[in-house]
Amino acid sequence: MNSSAASQASAPAMELSAATLARFDKEVAKYPADQRQSAVMACLAIVQQEQGWVSAQAEEAIARHLGMAPIAVREVTTFYNMYNQQPVGKFKLNVCTNLPCQLRDGQKALEHLCKKLGIEDGGTTPDGLFTVAKCECLGACADAPVMLVNDRQMVSYMSNERLDDLVDTLKAQAK
Amino acid sequence: MQMLDLSKFQAQGLETCFHDRHINPQIYAGLNGSNWRLKDYEARGGYQALRKVLAAEGGMTPDQVIAEVKASGLRGRGGAGFPTGLKWSFMPRAVPVQKYLVCNSDEGEPGTCKDRDILRYNPHIVIEGMIIAAYAMGATVGYNYIHGEIFEVYDRFEEALEEARAAGYLGDRILGSNHSFQLHAHHGFGAYICGEETGLLESIEGKKGQPRFKPPFPASFGLYGKPTTINNTETFGAVPWIINNGGPAYLECGKPNNGGTKIFSMVGDVQRPGNYEVPMGTPFAKLLELAGGVKGGKGLKAVIPGGSSSPVLPGAVMMDCTMDYDSISKAGSMLGSGAVIVMDDTRCMVKSLLRLSYFYSHESCGQCTPCREGTGWLWRLVHRIEHGQGKAEDLALLDNVAENIMGRTICALGDAAAMPVRGMLKHFRDEFAYHVEHKTCMVPAYV
């Protein structure tokens, strides 16, 4: 399956570092030996953390490593909301605007952030630093307004003052 | 890959969990944010229940464990409220095949944020509950599927697993018994549908999280086609207390048919949003008081009592309810996941429903036509009513579309999208009609 799947691919597989593959294998080891595919979500998240997004070349490499058809990897990338199918800003900010958050100014937080950065919901700043998008329930409704920074860090009670502070903090850490 | 220093923006749990406004807590008892590690859990009496079950002399048989859980009246805390002991008894223990145990920590039902606090502040209580459950059902491998949006909690859970392995609570021949159990963490990455148990299983298998047709049920054909039981995080978290204190004592802290304590996420228009662990059957009025009442001293308009999928109830109806499965069901809604979304008297129900309908349309997995198309219809209809383009016949059309989704899909997401619409139209129909007729909102101000 590996070779035929690879030959149908539209993009050549990228070479992944030994460190990345070691992270993959830590995930693979959680599942039965004949169920390597179970690690696909974790592998995609690892690639996204290291590269900022999931390219077709990365999907191809994951497919090869897990013994999957590349299209099966693509199905996962496109099904789950948090995988970036295009490059995004250095800092991806996802603001929850679902109803419980909307009742506590989640929508206002999104609008404040967009206005401050001069972009629309879903947009990226011209300097490539920030991408801002609304998102669905983060499971932290009592912390509203609440948001995610680069998928893995949650920040809470984001009043306009704290949002301003966050943007400044991130800018400082980008240097 | 280095994590950013965002500590000053991160919640410390003071508001949501360590606030001393729980009533007789079991799962949240004694937590302070820094005592989540194994040694702290053991100091609180942790892993005593497991020791009791696995004791060489006078331990419990799997049947005894299941009988205890049945006697406790524990019902599934994820939303469905199915009796846990009964669910465990469905597992074909005698069949000599691999069996799996899965914890559903894919907490994404809007309004719900209780499992996050359990996992980050008391992860070992879930691990202990799972080890006992695995013993009772003959499962030797388990997974905890954790909402991808709480990645820091997932990382912490991995650390807790390492601690439990090192201490001999997980692995082969646990505490010298014949029980072996390997437990791993699996993260989601943004798909509400994976909270549905068979969608979750598909997701663990490395696929799109599209739910499976049932039957067969997971107890006969689950993860990798093998017998599998799936319970919610809070459900597993209740197990050690039940084993330590006995099923009848657990039942006693709640009310008949509604045993134990329950964690409610009080969100929306309350003064002190957060999680509140209280006995089942606590009056809603008391719960609202614990959460500081309606924010800003405003009037209580409505409550969505069990996560966004449960039908809304008028505030006056809620004030007469107690917080348990039977009382909320009798009032025409569901206790669901225990997420209580409170809405004050300035809230526009059309605008509120619009956000929910968008959500369900966005999260429909696309498998079943009534849900895939129907949720889009609902969203567009509510959208045009909210934006002053509604037609007189739209309310009947909303009823009709909701009716045609209900019961006609593989999983409950279709029902979950239809029920809020029906609840809103049942109790607040005049507001929708006003929007259609006057092209504007009847509530004074939507803040």
Side-chain angles (χ1 to χ4, degrees), chain A residues 87-94 113-114 116-120 122-133 147-150 163-174, chain B residues 4 6:
Chain A
V88 297
K90 185 176 174 67
F91 304 114
K92 182 176 76 164
L93 309 179
N94 286 109
L113 211 44
C114 286
K116 181 176 175 68
L117 295 171
I119 52 178
E120 308 251 290
T124 299
T125 52
D127 61 3
L129 267 191
F130 295 98
T131 296
V132 176
M147 55 193 280
L148 275 186
V149 180
N150 288 347
L163 286 168
D164 293 344
D165 190 0
L166 176 71
V167 167
D168 292 342
T169 302
L170 291 174
K171 277 182 179 166
Q173 294 193 27
Chain B
L4 302 159
L6 300 177

Side-chain angles (χ1 to χ4, degrees), chain B residues 243-394:
Chain B
I243 297 298
N244 282 325
N245 299 279
Y250 188 80
L251 185 58
E252 195 106 320
C253 16
K255 55 185 270 194
N257 199 33
N258 297 268
T261 62
K262 172 83 189 86
I263 303 170
F264 293 100
S265 301
M266 293 294 287
V267 301
D269 294 322
V270 291
Q271 198 65 36
R272 295 156 152 177
N275 292 311
Y276 296 84
E277 184 176 359
V278 299
M280 280 281 190
T282 297
F284 169 75
K286 177 69 189 171
L287 191 60
L288 184 61
E289 183 193 315
L290 293 175
V294 178
K295 193 180 173 195
K298 290 179 183 162
L300 177 67
K301 178 171 185 172
V303 177
I304 302 176
S308 66
S309 308
S310 62
V312 67
L313 292 173
V317 172
M318 276 306 291
M319 290 305 276
D320 289 334
C321 285
T322 56
M323 297 305 290
D324 55 82
Y325 297 100
D326 297 338
S327 173
I328 302 293
S329 167
K330 202 172 156 203
S333 189
M334 306 179 334
L335 193 71
S337 59
V340 184
I341 307 171
V342 174
M343 300 164 81
D344 73 35
D345 55 11
T346 66
R347 298 303 181 181
C348 166
M349 297 318 235
V350 181
K351 183 162 183 169
S352 299
L353 181 61
L354 175 60
R355 187 60 185 84
L356 289 181
S357 294
Y358 170 80
F359 165 67
Y360 289 108
S361 175
H362 188 263
E363 296 298 322
S364 173
C365 83
Q367 203 175 194
C368 309
T369 307
C371 173
R372 181 188 63 242
E373 303 302 322
T375 53
W377 272 76
L378 293 176
W379 171 46
R380 289 189 298 273
L381 279 166
V382 180
H383 188 273
R384 78 181 184 204
I385 294 171
E386 165 69 11
H387 290 87
Q389 294 156 345
K391 300 172 188 167
E393 62 268 27
D394 281 354

Side-chain angles (χ1 to χ4, degrees), chain B residues 17-163:
Chain B
C17 192
F18 320 129
H19 48 52
D20 267 344
R21 294 191 303 280
H22 306 293
I23 301 176
N24 303 326
Q26 296 167 358
I27 295 176
Y28 283 166
L31 306 182
N32 63 20
S34 58
N35 59 2
W36 62 272
R37 292 197 171 271
L38 178 65
K39 60 174 172 43
D40 306 307
Y41 182 61
E42 287 176 326
R44 289 195 294 275
Y47 288 108
Q48 286 306 316
L50 180 66
R51 289 179 187 279
K52 179 177 174 180
V53 167
L54 297 182
E57 302 271 319
M60 295 170 77
T61 65
D63 280 327
Q64 285 173 325
V65 172
I66 292 178
E68 206 64 57
V69 174
K70 278 186 177 170
S72 75
L74 174 63
R75 294 169 64 173
R77 301 298 197 232
F82 192 83
T84 304
L86 188 60
K87 193 180 208 178
W88 288 11
S89 70
F90 293 156
M91 278 288 264
R93 256 200 347 254
V95 183
V97 294
Q98 176 68 53
K99 296 170 206 68
Y100 291 102
L101 185 68
V102 173
C103 178
N104 185 346
S105 302
D106 194 32
E107 186 177 47
E109 172 76 8
T112 321
C113 48
K114 65 189 176 63
D115 296 338
R116 170 182 178 234
D117 278 359
I118 298 174
L119 290 172
R120 61 179 173 165
Y121 302 130
N122 206 6
H124 285 285
I125 203 169
V126 179
I127 296 173
E128 185 181 13
M130 287 190 77
I131 303 167
I132 294 168
Y135 170 76
M137 288 178 274
T140 56
V141 179
Y143 295 96
N144 185 8
Y145 189 106
I146 299 174
H147 203 218
E149 287 84 342
I150 51 171
F151 218 97
E152 293 144 301
V153 178
Y154 166 80
D155 284 337
R156 174 172 292 185
F157 194 77
E158 290 266 43
E159 269 191 73
L161 287 176
E162 282 302 331
E163 289 183 322

Side-chain angles (χ1 to χ4, degrees), chain B residues 144-225:
Chain B
N144 185 8
Y145 189 106
I146 299 174
H147 203 218
E149 287 84 342
I150 51 171
F151 218 97
E152 293 144 301
V153 178
Y154 166 80
D155 284 337
R156 174 172 292 185
F157 194 77
E158 290 266 43
E159 269 191 73
L161 287 176
E162 282 302 331
E163 289 183 322
R165 286 179 193 126
Y169 293 123
L170 284 173
D172 294 331
R173 300 185 56 86
I174 295 166
L175 300 176
S177 72
N178 286 324
H179 178 43
S180 297
F181 184 55
Q182 316 291 337
L183 179 58
H184 304 283
H186 181 109
H187 68 75
F189 222 58
Y192 171 66
I193 192 61
C194 291
E196 198 280 345
E197 62 178 13
T198 60
L200 185 152
L201 295 178
E202 289 286 303
S203 186
I204 296 182
E205 292 183 6
K207 303 169 189 162
K208 291 184 286 184
Q210 293 190 315
R212 299 172 181 170
F213 194 80
K214 293 188 270 189
F217 291 94
S220 50
F221 189 94
L223 184 61
Y224 309 126

